[in-house]
Amino acid sequence: MNDITVLEALKQALRRLPGVGPKSASRMAYHLLERDREGARLIAQALTNAVERIVHCKRCNNLSETELCPICSSPRRDKSLLCVVESPSDLVSLDQSGVYNGLYFVLMGRLSPLDGIGPEEIGIPRLEALLDEGTVKEVVLATNLTVEGEATAHYIGDLVRARRIKASRIAYGVPIGGELEYTDRNTLARALAGRREA
Amino acid sequence: MRIHQQPAYVLHHRDYSETSLLLEVFTARHGRIGLIAKGARRASSRVRGILKPFQRLLIGWSGKGELAVLTGAEQDGPDTSLAAQALYCGFYMNEVLLRLLHRHDPHDALFEAYQNTLQRLRHDDTNEAVLRIFEKHLLRELGYGLVLDRDVVDRAPIEAQAVYDYIVDRGPRRLAHLELNLPTEGIRMRGASLIALEQESFAEAAMLRDAKALMRAALARHLGDQPLHSRKLFRRVVATATGDVMAEAGVDKAGG
């Protein structure tokens, strides 16, 4: 009886992963127990390590193994430039573009008043404290191009400008390799509105 | 049941499973409905960019009951995103509609009013007046319209210079001179403010303040104890950005 409960507990635990329902959870559990016990140990160990050692960087709020993450502690980064993003994966994408050399702030979400997610839930007070330190000269608002992302950018933009710091929003338009014929009309409208001298 | 090409606005969207969206949609002929948009979050989805609030859509769905399945959506007209302060006001309207509309209750006049309000928010800088007018229409469409044109006791037309005591369930009652210094149970306001709200034309800031107090009290009866989240957002804006426009837009003031 006892081992069945342990197995059930494992299935229940696996179901906490996004997109995993009862069936997938059960398949994963049997796979690990019957075919890959070593893998199961690795996963368990990796999860325990991650949960114990990964914290939020005290400056940028990103996930980090150290109190101050490698980006924030790097001497080569331009500390006067701060890019605000919604999630750690947004940060990785932007950083891989290779053209940005400033620091980041990760909100871990976006303003979504109808879901009860307000400024405090996404770490805006911490961002304000960071701005008040006085080293940041420009804030790049790189939240997503969704209604919530726009609201977040607007809200933070107000806070930034109230401190007499420059606020900029990432540009939007036709993607590289994109053909106008296949670009949706809202993107085209933005691309036209945001045109610049050639 | 299969429905095609209905004018609609997304009020709220929430991620559902890996690639889908749960939508609360306000339609012209079917009122508020709940829809599931399967695969709408896939990179290849044709509706990904358009299933967003404040955009007029033509949508189709099938099924009945609490959740129907979105079968098609296209943008109807140009991109109508809201920006800046208007965006906050839009969130506020959507939250109020979500709280007050029951599913499958058609409200075509309210749909019209909602659409007009979005249009005005996009072009008008006096957000506050636009919201008050929307709230007035909303209450009327829900069957709780406010009496704004006459004294409920003697039926006399509202006089601009007189002072009235407005009790939400009943209406305005003109205060006699002797009563002016005594406490009353309703909301005290000038006749001119009632006329302004009735005629949807606010000439003075005081009229907007009165209208806000009245609407706040009238809506509170239907919203219940749960605070509106979008109001909380505005409160922070007022608190952090001094002299901010939202203070004028007046969707929030402490209390209530």
Side-chain angles (χ1 to χ4, degrees):
Chain A
M1 220 30 216
N2 197 27
D3 50 353
I4 306 252
T5 341
V6 170
L7 182 60
E8 265 322 299
L10 173 60
K11 290 180 189 169
Q12 289 293 333
L14 287 168
R15 285 186 60 185
R16 298 180 80 120
L17 289 166
V20 176
K23 209 155 191 175
S24 317
S26 152
R27 212 167 44 230
M28 288 178 192
Y30 287 125
H31 171 83
L32 290 171
L33 292 171
E34 287 173 22
R35 312 229 164 116
D36 196 5
R37 292 212 171 209
E38 183 51 33
R41 277 197 194 92
L42 272 174
I43 293 174
Q45 194 55 48
L47 279 174
T48 313
N49 282 347
V51 169
E52 276 170 10
R53 303 219 328 247
I54 295 179
V55 291
H56 287 278
C57 167
K58 67 172 183 183
R59 192 171 188 283
C60 73
N61 202 31
N62 196 13
L63 299 175
S64 165
E65 282 181 46
T66 44
E67 202 175 77
L68 208 57
C69 75
I71 291 180
C72 287
S73 47
S74 163
R76 285 196 296 273
R77 293 270 174 170
D78 181 352
K79 293 190 168 44
S80 68
L81 207 53
L82 186 76
C83 178
V84 179
V85 295
E86 290 181 18
S87 71
S89 51
D90 293 340
L91 182 155
V92 171
S93 301
L94 282 173
D95 218 51
Q96 280 172 349
S97 73
V99 295
Y100 181 73
N101 191 36
L103 299 178
Y104 293 92
F105 186 85
V106 185
L107 296 167
M108 299 290 175
R110 73 205 89 165
L111 286 180
S112 184
L114 274 65
D115 295 310
I117 299 173
E120 255 143 56
E121 280 75 20
I122 57 167
I124 297 236
R126 280 183 60 185
L127 174 61
E128 287 184 78
L130 187 57
L131 296 177
D132 287 335
E133 284 175 13
T135 46
V136 177
K137 301 280 175 268
E138 178 179 349
V139 174
V140 182
L141 301 164
T143 51
N144 287 327
L145 264 287
T146 57
V147 170
E148 288 81 9
E150 289 284 1
T152 311
H154 177 70
Y155 188 91
I156 297 174
D158 277 347
L159 300 178
V160 171
R161 279 184 295 268
R163 289 168 171 78
R164 295 178 196 282
I165 298 171
K166 183 177 166 191
S168 55
R169 182 83 169 107
I170 49 167
Y172 16 62
V174 184
I176 300 218
E179 293 178 37
L180 298 189
E181 187 185 347
Y182 299 113
T183 305
D184 71 278
R185 53 177 156 166
N186 296 344
T187 304
L188 285 177
R190 297 281 183 106
L192 278 171
R195 70 185 183 278
R196 57 181 191 191
E197 209 170 307
Chain B
M1 190 170 64
R2 239 186 140 78
I3 312 271
H4 297 285
Q5 299 271 312
Q6 284 294 307
Y9 286 90
V10 171
L11 293 177
H12 190 42
H13 57 104
R14 200 172 308 161
D15 290 354
Y16 178 70
S17 80
E18 281 293 88
T19 56
S20 302
L21 279 176
L22 281 181
L23 304 172
E24 288 290 340
V25 177
F26 186 28
T27 65
R29 258 176 263 156
H30 301 259
R32 179 190 147 201
I33 53 171
L35 291 176
I36 171 162
K38 289 188 177 160
R41 275 157 61 222
R42 283 185 209 278
S44 61
S45 166
R46 294 208 340 232
V47 293
R48 195 166 75 130
I50 62 165
L51 291 178
K52 56 182 185 182
F54 320 123
Q55 173 67 56
R56 188 181 152 105
L57 304 170
L58 289 174
I59 63 166
W61 66 90
S62 76
K64 46 190 170 188
E66 278 300 279
L67 268 187
V69 177
L70 184 81
T71 52
E74 58 184 283
Q75 185 172 324
D76 192 19
D79 183 9
T80 51
S81 333
L82 296 177
Q85 310 296 343
L87 188 50
Y88 296 159
C89 297
F91 278 132
Y92 169 78
M93 288 206 298
N94 283 7
E95 189 174 13
V96 171
L97 286 177
L98 279 178
R99 290 275 289 275
L100 297 185
L101 294 185
H102 295 288
R103 283 199 176 142
H104 307 294
D105 262 1
H107 285 289
D108 37 345
L110 183 58
F111 186 84
E112 194 73 18
Y114 177 75
Q115 188 156 270
N116 290 340
T117 310
L118 286 180
Q119 183 121 19
R120 292 188 65 186
L121 283 176
R122 221 167 289 127
H123 302 294
D124 215 312
D125 42 15
T126 49
N127 288 341
E128 184 174 6
V130 175
L131 285 183
R132 294 297 87 81
I133 295 164
F134 172 72
E135 289 165 340
K136 185 182 92 167
H137 286 281
L138 172 69
L139 287 170
R140 185 190 295 155
E141 289 305 319
L142 294 175
Y144 308 109
L146 297 174
V147 178
L148 297 170
D149 58 345
R150 59 179 197 281
D151 185 312
V152 287
V153 177
D154 61 12
R155 308 248 146 212
I158 297 294
E159 284 172 41
Q161 296 310 315
V163 176
Y164 291 82
D165 185 52
Y166 202 112
I167 295 175
V168 170
D169 283 343
R170 285 176 239 164
R173 176 180 67 90
R174 186 180 175 151
L175 291 177
H177 263 299
L178 283 172
E179 282 180 296
L180 289 178
N181 294 320
L182 298 171
T184 44
E185 48 178 321
I187 292 156
R188 196 175 283 215
M189 56 200 296
R190 273 173 53 223
S193 301
L194 288 167
I195 294 170
L197 186 56
E198 168 76 5
Q199 296 178 349
E200 304 184 358
S201 159
F202 301 89
E204 298 163 26
M207 295 172 176
L208 279 171
R209 272 200 302 278
D210 284 347
K212 181 157 99 181
L214 177 60
M215 285 306 179
R216 185 44 89 91
L219 283 170
R221 301 187 66 85
H222 309 294
L223 288 169
D225 297 334
Q226 283 272 337
L228 286 172
H229 294 301
S230 39
R231 268 186 196 154
K232 275 191 278 181
L233 174 62
F234 298 132
R235 189 171 305 154
R236 285 278 307 174
V237 178
V238 176
T240 46
T242 39
D244 196 278
V245 199
M246 273 331 288
E248 288 162 34
V251 262
D252 183 64
K253 195 158 192 179

